[in-house]
Amino acid sequence: MNLIILLLPIIAIVLMFRSQKKRQSQMQQMQTALEPGAGVRTIGGLYAQVKAVNEETVELEIAPGVFTHFTKSAIAAVLEPAEYDAIINGRPADDELPEPEAEDADADRVDEKPLTLTKDGADKGEAEGGAPASK
């Protein structure tokens, strides 16, 4: 019983270090894969296009003609070209295309009375939920 109490924290610590090391290696691999022309998302949620990659920094174009420098560790994700285009230009992905709506024959018919701004309904007062008549 005492052995289990000692082993559980050790196993938990080993698993935490292992997952952290795996995340670090994935981040390192992503940072080395940066190349000019790639679309990226920073840790602050900024979408930009890579213009140049230096040893420790990346030059990003955040708008046409607007360039900024970020550290490589500030890059959260490298995006696929189609995903980057969909985000920047507002185009839906191929599988998210809107379906054409079916037209209903009853869609043109309106059952409710139109809203008017005349004082004709003011005589009804609060009986139908309207505003009380002013005098």
Side-chain angles (χ1 to χ4, degrees), residues 66-115:
V66 180
F67 298 95
T68 59
H69 292 273
F70 283 83
T71 63
K72 284 185 177 181
S73 61
I75 305 300
V78 177
L79 306 172
E80 296 293 325
E83 181 183 6
Y84 179 74
D85 185 53
I87 291 169
I88 297 300
N89 297 318
R91 297 183 182 130
D94 293 338
D95 58 345
E96 296 177 4
L97 291 175
E99 296 180 9
E101 295 182 17
E103 293 186 30
D104 293 324
D106 297 331
D108 296 332
R109 189 180 66 182
V110 177
D111 293 333
E112 299 177 10
K113 292 189 231 177
L115 178 65

Side-chain angles (χ1 to χ4, degrees), residues 30-53:
M30 187 251 335
Q31 289 174 1
T32 57
L34 286 173
E35 58 185 31
V40 296
R41 183 182 71 239
T42 66
I43 57 174
L46 179 78
Y47 291 95
Q49 190 171 23
V50 177
K51 288 299 173 185
V53 179

